[in-house]
């Protein structure tokens, strides 16, 4: 089973963590599974929704894919050395992605390097202050690192994860299933264009 850690902090954005997790988990039968991964047993969303984590933070060391979610506390998390130390990511063996303000965490961890990134409008100036070029697109990936910007771009992060692990056919099927009724084809093609699929070969 290929395992995905959807890292979810206090103050998280429900759309970002739940959409990615839900879409990826439609591939359980194909050997791909996502888990809400939290630094404490329970985290509270930006809108007061309490969620029990499915995996503790140290799960990131064994996960094949790590997606860093966003939230209202991303700036303080990205400046918290103790919290960052709990995220020993390994780009040499893991697929790594961020959603919206999660890009601040990837930047603080040194994962982005010189790579430009996607984020949300509110986070953009803080990301640029770190010397990261912010792109005017919803999704960007280079090699095994990806960033997505805008809550609904979490579908692109999920589609990229599915494509890179079990293939484009599976990603297309998942997006087709959740697409607004009657807009299936255009939704699938938009997602595939966004993630710039170059190969259907699984990682």
């Amino acid at each position: 089973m290929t395992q995905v850690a959807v890292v979810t902090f206090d103050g998280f954005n429900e759309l970002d963590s739940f959409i990615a997790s839900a879409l990826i988990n439609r591939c359980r039968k194909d050997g791909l599974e996502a888990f809400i991964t939290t630094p404490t047993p329970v985290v509270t969303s930006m809108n007061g929704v309490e969620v029990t984590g499915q995996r503790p933070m140290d799960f990131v060391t064994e996960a094949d894919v790590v997606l860093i979610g966003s939230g209202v506390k991303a700036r303080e998390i990205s400046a918290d050395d103790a919290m960052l130390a709990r995220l020993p990511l390994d780009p040499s063996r893991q697929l790594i992605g961020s959603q919206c303000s999660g890009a601040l965490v990837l930047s603080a961890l040194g994962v982005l390097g010189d790579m430009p990134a996607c984020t949300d409008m509110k986070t953009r100036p803080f990301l640029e202050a770190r010397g990261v070029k912010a792109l005017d697109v919803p999704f960007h990936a280079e090699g095994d690192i990806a960033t997505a910007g805008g809550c609904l771009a979490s579908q692109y992060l999920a589609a990229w994860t599915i494509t890179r692990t079990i293939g484009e056919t599976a990603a297309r099927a998942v997006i087709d299933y959740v697409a607004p009724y009657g807009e299936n084809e255009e939704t699938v093609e938009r997602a595939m264009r966004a993630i710039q699929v170059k190969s259907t070969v699984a990682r």
Side-chain angles (χ1 to χ4, degrees):
M1 183 72 76
T2 299
Q3 301 184 106
V4 182
V6 180
V7 179
T8 303
F9 301 104
D10 245 350
F12 73 94
N13 184 314
E14 301 96 331
L15 292 174
D16 294 345
S17 287
F18 293 157
I19 290 176
S21 178
L23 295 186
I24 292 167
N25 277 328
R26 289 190 175 276
C27 299
R28 282 196 190 100
K29 68 182 186 306
D30 298 313
L32 179 64
E33 189 167 17
F35 300 92
I36 298 296
T37 303
T38 57
T40 53
V42 176
V43 291
T44 303
S45 79
M46 60 192 296
N47 293 305
V49 178
E50 291 189 350
V51 172
T52 299
Q54 296 172 292
R55 293 289 186 274
M57 192 66 97
D58 58 9
F59 174 65
V60 301
T61 62
E62 62 182 275
D64 304 289
V65 184
V66 180
L67 305 180
I68 306 295
S70 73
V72 295
K73 296 185 178 181
R75 285 174 61 197
E76 59 187 84
I77 290 166
S78 67
D80 184 338
D81 290 339
M83 185 65 77
L84 295 176
R86 300 178 67 184
L87 290 165
L89 306 185
D90 185 355
S92 70
R93 69 166 189 85
Q94 294 174 313
L95 293 180
I96 299 171
S98 68
Q99 177 66 42
C100 291
S101 59
L104 290 174
V105 178
L106 290 193
S107 175
L109 290 169
V111 172
L112 293 179
D114 296 329
M115 174 181 162
C118 301
T119 191
D120 59 90
M121 289 186 293
K122 289 186 177 180
T123 304
R124 180 171 184 149
F126 301 106
L127 188 63
E128 291 177 329
R130 290 179 173 269
V132 179
K133 179 181 179 181
L135 300 174
D136 294 320
V137 292
F139 182 87
H140 177 72
E142 292 184 12
D144 294 344
I145 310 297
T147 58
C151 297
L152 296 183
S154 50
Q155 64 180 299
Y156 301 152
L157 194 57
W160 175 80
T161 299
I162 296 167
T163 299
R164 288 298 310 277
T165 53
I166 59 176
E168 180 183 342
T169 299
R172 284 178 172 273
V174 168
I175 299 299
D176 180 74
Y177 188 90
V178 301
Y181 190 79
E183 298 179 3
N184 302 71
E185 183 176 355
E186 63 190 89
T187 302
V188 170
E189 294 308 318
R190 182 171 58 249
M192 293 300 106
R193 284 195 305 271
I195 66 174
Q196 299 180 336
V197 173
K198 295 181 176 64
S199 172
T200 59
V201 178
R203 174 182 165 86

